[in-house]
């Protein structure tokens, strides 16, 4: 059983531009201060099925046995016991996608308490890559050692390390490919951090060693249960001790979310760039554009909501749909379908495509409602959801995956079914929030309170610390047996 650890564009008004001009001397530093964790939601690519989430603050020890966890305190860092420990982080790739960025965040948390952290990337292109170069130097500047995944240095580090973290199921290929005969010596100190939800990751080539590692860490209960059942039914193997660790918002993002002046300036700036007025209503999806993220179904729901409003002659502000995560340079068939739909329905003045960007906060400050429309099994967790809630935004999400563990239906947002069955319910939910400003504001406030209660960086650090303590204890016990 998994353990949950406590833990047409109009112009904006002149006053907006005056405010922007007044604050421009600090707007850029404000944007630059946003941490790695604020990047995650924009770069979860189609190949990575998400980064996957309360007052359920307990540790599930054994089936039927629930132990109360100690309350989260105000200690400097719950990870202080990791000082001087050697940790090897193994990433399947180094990119601006959910998994690698989460692992980098863990690397920086460990470095902040004096842990010796080494990083290897399994899949790297032979050609020069600006993103890889930038991310590697970001780590090097923070004291994280970066070296080849295939050299002797990787093997030596794995053998002498106190802990090895494999990030994502795909990282399992590295064990036999590189460690070879040394695999049995390393497995007892491996923590496998899994984020994937898609069925094609359930291959023995990836996860055959999973039953023998010290533990698995998964971002939501739904995903943990899915992995438990799928590995047994399809692969005939058992999951190791599995820990559910919900993610948390960075301190930097929370600082912006709680700064009313910063939010106002960002809101005015982004809305001006989109050509929408301050009083207009913006519903946005913030995910890389792919079929699994449901932008097509969202646009159909949005169009249907406009039809409902017109049919019922409802008085609402002008509504807009914003798709953040576009990439026209890739010229995908799916994105072309989205844009063709917008033209076909003649809603070009209501729908805005925004390219992938390094900062999520400006758009969270600018919109009124976040739509989390991930399909199939949903998000493993969905980091953007808790980031939106930090900005006091209500969330319209699919009733699937980790979203069901974050959004309290009817309280912090509204949930709708996945697939085509969800189009009309989502359209009706859009109308509900468009016609009731008090409901939007109340849901947003309750979402913020939920984030403060359980989805902050120090909550995540406590949860991860509890896992690392158990894994290190198991590793020592195994080495002495």
């Amino acid at each position: 059983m998994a353990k949950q650890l406590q833990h047409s564009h109009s112009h904006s008004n002149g006053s907006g531009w005056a405010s922007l001009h007044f604050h421009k001397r600090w707007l850029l530093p404000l944007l630059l201060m946003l941490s790695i964790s604020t990047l995650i939601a924009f770069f979860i690519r189609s190949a990575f099925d998400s980064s996957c989430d309360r007052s359920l603050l307990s540790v599930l020890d054994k089936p039927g046995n629930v132990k109360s966890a100690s309350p989260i305190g105000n200690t400097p860092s719950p990870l202080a016991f990791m000082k001087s420990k050697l940790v090897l982080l193994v990433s399947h790739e180094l990119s601006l996608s959910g998994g690698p960025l989460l692992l980098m965040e863990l690397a920086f948390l460990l470095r902040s308490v004096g842990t010796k952290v080494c990083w290897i990337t399994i899949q790297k292109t032979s050609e020069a890559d600006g993103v890889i170069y930038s991310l590697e130097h970001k780590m090097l500047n923070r004291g994280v050692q970066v070296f080849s995944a295939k050299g002797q240095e990787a093997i030596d580090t794995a053998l002498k390390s106190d802990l090895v973290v494999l990030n994502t199921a795909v990282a399992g290929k590295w064990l036999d490919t590189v460690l070879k005969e040394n695999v049995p010596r390393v497995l007892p100190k491996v923590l496998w951090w899994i984020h994937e939800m898609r069925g094609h990751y359930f291959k023995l080539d990836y996860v055959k060693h999973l039953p023998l590692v010290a533990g698995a860490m998964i971002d939501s209960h739904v995903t943990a249960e899915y992995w438990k059942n799928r590995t047994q039914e399809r692969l005939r193997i058992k999951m190791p001790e599995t820990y559910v660790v919900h993610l948390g918002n960075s301190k930097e993002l929370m600082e912006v979310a709680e700064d009313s002046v910063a939010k106002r300036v960002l809101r005015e700036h982004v809305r001006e760039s989109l050509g929408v007025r301050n009083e207009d209503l913006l519903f946005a999806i913030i995910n890389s554009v792919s079929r699994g993220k449901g932008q097509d179904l969202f646009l159909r729901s949005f169009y249907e909501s406009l039809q409902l409003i017109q049919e019922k002659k409802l008085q609402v502000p002008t509504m807009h749909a914003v798709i953040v995560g576009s990439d026209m340079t890739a010229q995908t068939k799916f994105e072309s379908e989205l844009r063709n739909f917008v033209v076909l329905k003649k809603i070009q003045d209501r729908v805005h495509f925004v390219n992938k960007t390094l900062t999520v906060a400006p758009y969270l400050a600018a919109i009124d409602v976040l739509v989390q429309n991930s399909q199939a099994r949903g998000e493993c967790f969905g980091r953007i959801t808790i980031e939106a809630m930090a900005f006091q935004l209500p969330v319209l999400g699919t009733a699937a995956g980790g979203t069901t563990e974050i959004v309290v239906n009817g309280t912090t947002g509204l949930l709708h079914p996945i697939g085509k069955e969800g189009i009309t319910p989502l359209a009706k939910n859009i109308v509900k929030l468009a016609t009731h400003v008090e409901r939007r504001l109340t849901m947003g406030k309750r979402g913020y309170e939920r984030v403060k209660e359980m989805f902050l960086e120090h909550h995540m650090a406590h949860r991860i610390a509890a896992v690392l303590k158990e894994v290190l204890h198991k590793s020592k016990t195994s080495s002495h047996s």
Side-chain angles (χ1 to χ4, degrees):
M1 179 179 288
K3 294 184 177 182
Q4 173 164 355
L5 298 166
Q6 171 170 4
H7 341 39
S8 78
H9 300 277
S10 58
H11 300 283
S12 65
N13 58 54
S15 62
W17 271 112
S19 176
L20 177 63
H21 176 76
F22 180 76
H23 294 287
K24 67 180 181 181
R25 65 181 182 276
W26 56 266
L27 177 59
L28 182 58
L30 172 65
L31 297 177
L32 294 177
M33 70 177 278
L34 301 176
S35 72
I36 282 290
S37 61
T38 67
L39 310 180
I40 293 172
F42 283 91
F43 301 101
I44 302 177
R45 302 187 303 195
S46 58
F48 182 78
D49 227 317
S50 126
S51 69
C52 312
D53 324 66
R54 353 200 278 300
S55 43
L56 300 174
L57 301 180
S58 61
V59 179
L60 303 183
D61 185 27
K62 297 178 181 179
N65 182 23
V66 181
K67 299 193 302 183
S68 296
S70 57
I72 295 173
N74 294 317
T75 53
S77 174
L79 291 163
F81 68 94
M82 292 297 295
K83 183 178 181 180
S84 300
K85 293 282 194 299
L86 176 60
V87 176
L88 176 63
L89 305 180
V90 183
S91 183
H92 73 289
E93 66 178 10
L94 187 53
S95 64
L96 294 169
S97 57
L101 292 178
L102 277 172
L103 193 64
M104 284 182 64
E105 188 169 349
L106 176 60
F108 298 154
L109 282 173
L110 292 173
R111 282 297 303 140
S112 70
V113 297
T115 308
K116 300 174 183 177
V117 181
C118 298
W119 177 291
I120 57 178
T121 304
I122 301 172
Q123 301 172 5
K124 290 180 68 173
T125 60
S126 56
E127 301 175 0
D129 187 297
V131 170
I132 292 177
Y133 178 85
S134 176
L135 294 178
E136 284 186 343
H137 278 267
K138 183 181 290 289
M139 287 192 285
L140 291 169
N141 290 338
R142 299 285 288 270
V144 178
Q145 297 182 52
V146 180
F147 46 80
S148 171
K150 299 178 181 179
Q152 187 62 40
E153 191 173 13
I155 299 173
D156 293 341
T157 304
L159 291 173
K160 67 183 180 181
S161 65
D162 297 288
L163 174 72
V164 176
V165 179
L166 296 182
N167 197 43
T168 74
V170 181
K173 295 189 296 183
W174 174 80
L175 294 169
D176 288 319
T177 303
V178 176
L179 295 184
K180 299 178 181 177
E181 68 273 8
N182 292 305
V183 169
R185 296 173 58 187
V186 176
L187 290 181
K189 54 186 176 182
V190 168
L191 173 64
W192 210 321
W193 199 359
I194 295 172
H195 313 281
E196 296 96 333
M197 288 279 276
R198 291 183 176 179
H200 65 258
Y201 290 108
F202 292 86
K203 296 180 180 179
L204 277 176
D205 286 348
Y206 295 157
V207 298
K208 66 181 180 181
H209 296 296
L210 193 53
L212 300 177
V213 302
M217 188 164 69
I218 299 181
D219 305 335
S220 69
H221 290 284
V222 172
T223 310
E225 191 66 19
Y226 176 65
W227 270 85
K228 176 186 175 183
N229 295 335
R230 190 74 179 229
T231 49
Q232 288 180 345
E233 295 168 2
R234 181 169 175 173
L235 303 179
R236 305 300 181 200
I237 63 175
K238 289 186 177 182
M239 290 290 290
E241 188 83 59
T242 302
Y243 308 89
V244 172
V245 174
H246 292 148
L247 309 180
N249 286 329
S250 71
K251 294 177 182 177
E252 289 86 355
L253 180 125
M254 292 304 298
E255 287 175 359
V256 178
E258 295 172 338
D259 188 328
S260 59
V261 175
K263 285 198 297 183
R264 187 180 72 248
V265 173
L266 292 174
R267 180 181 177 90
E268 292 171 354
H269 176 66
V270 171
R271 285 183 169 238
E272 174 68 19
S273 70
L274 295 175
V276 300
R277 300 168 299 182
N278 186 57
E279 61 268 26
D280 292 347
L281 273 179
L282 271 58
F283 294 79
I285 277 188
I286 303 178
N287 279 122
S288 60
V289 171
S290 67
R291 202 170 300 278
K293 301 304 178 182
Q295 286 92 350
D296 54 340
L297 301 179
F298 164 57
L299 287 178
R300 289 171 66 178
S301 296
F302 179 73
Y303 177 72
E304 190 171 309
S305 72
L306 296 178
Q307 299 300 105
L308 287 171
I309 289 170
Q310 187 175 12
E311 290 171 8
K312 295 182 179 182
K313 298 180 180 180
L314 300 175
Q315 297 298 315
V316 299
T318 302
M319 300 195 324
H320 298 261
V322 183
I323 309 292
V324 180
S326 176
D327 187 2
M328 277 306 288
T329 58
Q331 295 185 347
T332 65
K333 178 182 177 182
F334 179 69
E335 180 153 347
S336 295
E337 289 176 9
L338 299 181
R339 294 176 182 266
N340 290 339
F341 175 84
V342 170
V343 173
L344 178 65
K345 298 300 182 180
K346 300 179 181 180
I347 52 175
Q348 300 97 312
D349 61 330
R350 299 292 192 101
V351 179
H352 312 267
F353 292 88
V354 178
N355 285 336
K356 292 181 179 181
T357 175
L358 290 177
T359 49
V360 62
Y363 292 94
L364 293 176
I367 68 176
D368 300 289
V369 179
L370 179 81
V371 179
Q372 177 61 278
N373 206 41
S374 293
Q375 299 299 305
R377 298 177 187 89
E379 292 287 329
C380 179
F381 179 83
R383 186 69 166 268
I384 188 62
T385 307
I386 59 171
E387 292 177 329
M389 289 162 63
F391 277 76
Q392 301 191 34
L393 299 175
V395 178
L396 298 180
T398 44
T403 303
T404 61
E405 296 172 31
I406 306 173
V407 177
V408 180
N409 191 30
T411 300
T412 67
L414 297 170
L415 300 179
H416 58 274
I418 59 171
K420 294 180 180 178
E421 294 78 10
I423 293 175
T424 296
L426 174 55
K428 291 180 178 179
N429 288 342
I430 290 174
V431 174
K432 284 180 184 179
L433 295 191
T435 54
H436 293 89
V437 61
E438 186 177 346
R439 179 180 292 175
R440 290 200 309 274
L441 296 177
T442 299
M443 284 183 169
K445 183 178 179 181
R446 288 174 178 169
Y448 169 77
E449 292 168 352
R450 187 164 171 79
V451 164
K452 294 287 283 187
E453 182 182 354
M454 59 186 63
F455 297 130
L456 297 177
E457 184 180 277
H458 74 266
H459 295 121
M460 183 173 71
H462 274 270
R463 293 167 188 143
I464 291 177
V467 174
L468 298 190
K469 283 180 180 178
E470 288 202 28
V471 170
L472 289 174
H473 177 72
K474 289 180 185 177
S475 178
K476 290 180 180 178
T477 303
S478 175
S479 64
H480 293 142
S481 62

